[in-house]
């Protein structure tokens, strides 16, 4: 079972899509005039009702994007993907909502409210701004302070029973009631933009968040009195950790954090990460590498190279045996350093603004 609180290392995307009716993103890709590179490269691989969003984009009509955060540790490159997508949608007629799930963090992880707020400001919102998200017209809020969401969640709670919640999330008899209620609050986060204005809502997520999407769509369908449009969603792949497996905030050697500084240890992390290289240089020259199995190449695809032509060149050189892993990893490290130095500067000027935003909530 995949739940938002427990993702296994080897997610079978194809099987999950078939089981839960997620549709391939490539089927709608050609309808998007200027797709994000994560869409073009298949990192965003699935969707539900994304046609509604395409229609809004093409007709220049307003839509909403909801993207919650539950601050629980340092932000790493895996977390960056969602911000990249939010920035992309800001070129359209969009209103973005960012709920900070402090209630869920309290119920599901035992984090106190002040700690969650501090982490949200110092780590998440500061990085969101530094990465380029425009927060001028974005609604960022703490769940615990947003009455319209809390009120809606109380009404929607009547439309789902415990057996259903247990079936979706695997809750057991000793799960605290707050934790069981947390997904209803998320349903309200996703649906509440429509209370003001009837408009399509998109929720870009990793596959681990799909239980929330399914529950929201079910509840929306049952709530004829509200006349909600069921939310659309997109699904992106998880970035692989440096050693293979999952990139995780709690396992430092699997991740590169957005606050990492260029250092010997960072270089060591990159230089010792899992590649698709062969046992010997001779073999690599003869057979070529396997970029499809390479963490370095994945970094290029997901984060470091925006230009498709440049990416293709690296792919071809790897496949043909012209490029060796040592040089490739060094190049990757240099690109990471360039990125982190730039982000660190931007983070300095973002810090005060992030504080101001949360303190005014
Ligand atoms: Fe990966 Fe680069 Fe080695 Fe190819 S040459 S397997 S892309 S590290």
């Amino acid at each position: 079972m995949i739940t938002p609180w427990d993702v296994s290392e080897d997610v079978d995307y194809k099987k999950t899509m078939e089981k839960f009716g997620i549709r391939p993103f490539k089927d709608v890709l050609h309808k998007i005039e200027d797709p994000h590179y994560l869409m073009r490269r298949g990192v965003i691989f699935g969707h539900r009702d994304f046609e509604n969003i395409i229609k809004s984009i093409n007709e220049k009509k307003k839509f909403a994007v909801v993207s919650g955060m539950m601050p629980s540790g340092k932000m790493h490159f895996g977390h960056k993907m969602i911000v990249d997508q939010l920035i992309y949608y800001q070129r359209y007629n969009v209103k973005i909502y960012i709920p900070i799930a402090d209630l869920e963090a309290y119920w599901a992880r035992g984090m106190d409210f002040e700690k969650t707020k501090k982490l949200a400001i110092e780590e998440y919102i500061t990085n969101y701004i530094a990465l380029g998200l425009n927060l001028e017209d974005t609604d960022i809020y703490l769940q615990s302070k947003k009455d319209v969401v809390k009120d809606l969640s109380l009404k929607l709670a009547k439309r789902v029973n415990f057996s259903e919640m247990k079936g979706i999330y695997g809750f057991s008899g000793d799960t605290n009631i707050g934790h069981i209620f947390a997904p209803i609050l998320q349903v309200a986060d996703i649906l509440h933009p429509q209370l003001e204005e009837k408009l399509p809502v998109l929720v870009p997520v990793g596959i681990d968040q799909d239980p929330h999407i399914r529950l929201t769509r079910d509840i929306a369908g049952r709530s004829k009195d509200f006349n909600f449009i069921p939310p659309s969603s997109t699904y992106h792949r998880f970035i692989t950790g440096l050693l293979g497996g999952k990139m995780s905030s709690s396992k430092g050697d699997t991740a590169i954090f957005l606050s990492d500084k260029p250092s010997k240890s960072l270089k060591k992390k990159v230089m010792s990460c899992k590649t698709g290289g062969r046992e010997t240089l001779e073999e690599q020259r003869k057979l070529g590498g396997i970029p499809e199995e390479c963490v370095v190449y994945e970094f290029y695809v997901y984060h470091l190279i925006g230009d498709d032509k440049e990416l293709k060149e690296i792919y071809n050189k790897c496949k043909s045996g012209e490029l060796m892993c040592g040089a490739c990893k060094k190049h990757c490290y240099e690109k990471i350093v360039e990125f982190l130095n730039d982000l660190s500067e931007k983070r300095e000027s973002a810090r005060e603004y992030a504080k101001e935003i949360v303190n005014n909530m």
Side-chain angles (χ1 to χ4, degrees):
M1 172 179 276
I2 296 174
T3 78
W5 305 285
D6 181 22
V7 194
S8 71
E9 300 236 327
D10 47 355
V11 179
D12 186 333
Y13 292 106
K14 196 162 173 265
K15 216 162 133 192
T16 310
M17 285 172 78
E18 281 165 10
K19 186 168 174 197
F20 296 112
I22 294 169
R23 291 168 40 225
F25 198 83
K26 62 176 165 44
D27 292 356
V28 293
L29 186 63
H30 65 280
K31 298 180 185 166
I32 308 165
E33 202 184 308
D34 185 14
H36 191 273
Y37 70 84
L38 292 173
M39 296 170 174
R40 293 198 306 268
R41 297 175 183 179
V43 178
I44 294 171
F45 65 91
H47 78 101
R48 293 182 197 272
D49 285 353
F50 193 71
E51 292 90 346
N52 289 348
I53 305 302
I54 296 176
K55 189 167 182 288
S56 296
I57 288 175
N58 291 345
E59 293 174 6
K60 299 190 173 25
K61 288 198 176 137
K62 191 171 172 187
F63 62 100
V65 177
V66 178
S67 175
M69 62 162 95
M70 182 163 62
S72 61
K74 288 200 291 179
M75 267 185 87
H76 56 58
F77 270 83
H79 299 121
K80 173 181 167 285
M81 266 188 285
I82 202 75
V83 190
D84 290 336
Q85 293 173 62
L86 297 180
I87 293 168
Y88 165 79
Y89 289 117
Q90 281 192 325
R91 68 178 67 174
Y92 301 114
N93 185 4
V94 72
K95 169 93 184 190
I96 292 180
Y97 295 81
I98 304 180
I100 303 169
D102 59 343
L103 280 167
E104 184 180 348
Y106 177 68
W107 289 325
R109 301 219 165 121
M111 282 173 66
D112 73 63
F113 291 94
E114 273 314 304
K115 190 177 169 197
T116 305
K117 189 172 160 182
K118 191 167 182 286
L119 204 55
I121 299 171
E122 290 175 4
E123 188 61 28
Y124 285 71
I125 299 176
T126 303
N127 272 314
Y128 278 36
I129 299 168
L131 286 165
L133 190 66
N134 179 356
L135 297 185
E136 285 290 307
D137 191 32
T138 298
D139 189 354
I140 303 189
Y141 61 89
L142 289 158
Q143 273 183 335
S144 62
K145 305 273 189 221
K146 189 82 166 176
D147 289 343
V148 64
V149 170
K150 286 190 288 185
D151 289 351
L152 180 61
S153 71
L154 296 178
K155 287 178 190 152
L156 299 179
K158 194 176 181 306
R159 300 161 199 224
V160 60
N161 62 35
F162 179 68
S163 305
E164 203 178 346
M165 296 299 277
K166 190 177 163 197
I168 298 173
Y169 296 98
F171 292 138
S172 63
D174 56 5
T175 310
N176 75 66
I177 300 294
H179 192 172
I180 296 168
F181 186 73
I184 311 292
L185 208 50
Q186 292 226 14
V187 171
D189 280 325
I190 296 170
L191 294 177
H192 91 279
Q194 295 190 52
L195 294 178
E196 247 179 58
E197 198 178 345
K198 205 53 62 200
L199 78 185
V201 175
L202 170 69
V203 194
V205 287
I207 196 96
D208 57 327
Q209 301 296 314
D210 189 51
H212 292 322
I213 306 293
R214 295 201 304 272
L215 180 66
T216 308
R217 288 169 60 88
D218 283 351
I219 291 181
R222 281 172 215 167
S223 304
K224 300 289 177 231
D225 46 341
F226 284 99
N227 197 22
F228 288 130
I229 305 166
S232 307
S233 51
T234 57
Y235 302 88
H236 56 262
R237 290 176 186 279
F238 296 118
I239 192 167
T240 310
L242 299 179
L243 307 172
K246 206 181 141 204
M247 187 173 282
S248 161
S249 296
S250 58
K251 292 183 201 151
D253 52 351
T254 67
I256 297 182
F257 297 100
L258 299 184
S259 53
D260 273 350
K261 300 262 175 284
S263 63
K264 268 190 189 163
S265 63
L266 180 63
K267 188 167 187 181
K268 194 170 161 217
K269 262 202 231 181
V270 177
M271 295 308 286
S272 44
C273 76
K274 181 185 168 286
T275 71
R278 307 282 176 178
E279 293 276 300
T280 63
L281 289 180
E282 197 191 353
E283 227 181 286
Q284 180 129 347
R285 274 189 207 103
K286 206 165 118 197
L287 301 170
I290 312 170
E292 294 83 358
E293 293 176 11
C294 177
V295 170
V296 174
Y297 187 70
E298 206 176 278
F299 255 88
Y300 290 146
V301 173
Y302 284 44
H303 295 293
L304 299 175
I305 297 181
D307 178 13
D308 288 351
K309 231 172 104 197
E310 188 184 343
L311 187 69
K312 185 85 186 142
E313 226 168 84
I314 291 186
Y315 181 90
N316 289 340
K317 281 185 178 171
C318 169
K319 281 297 236 194
S320 67
E322 190 185 335
L323 185 61
M324 296 296 116
C325 294
C328 193
K329 282 190 278 192
K330 200 163 161 267
H331 182 59
C332 179
Y333 175 68
E334 283 160 5
K335 280 201 166 281
I336 289 172
V337 166
E338 197 186 316
F339 174 84
L340 291 177
N341 281 341
D342 179 52
L343 189 68
S344 158
E345 252 177 53
K346 290 180 175 152
R347 212 172 21 237
E348 280 317 305
S349 46
R351 220 174 285 283
E352 283 308 308
Y353 182 34
K355 239 186 239 170
E356 210 179 290
I357 290 172
V358 181
N359 289 336
N360 285 335
M361 279 173 191

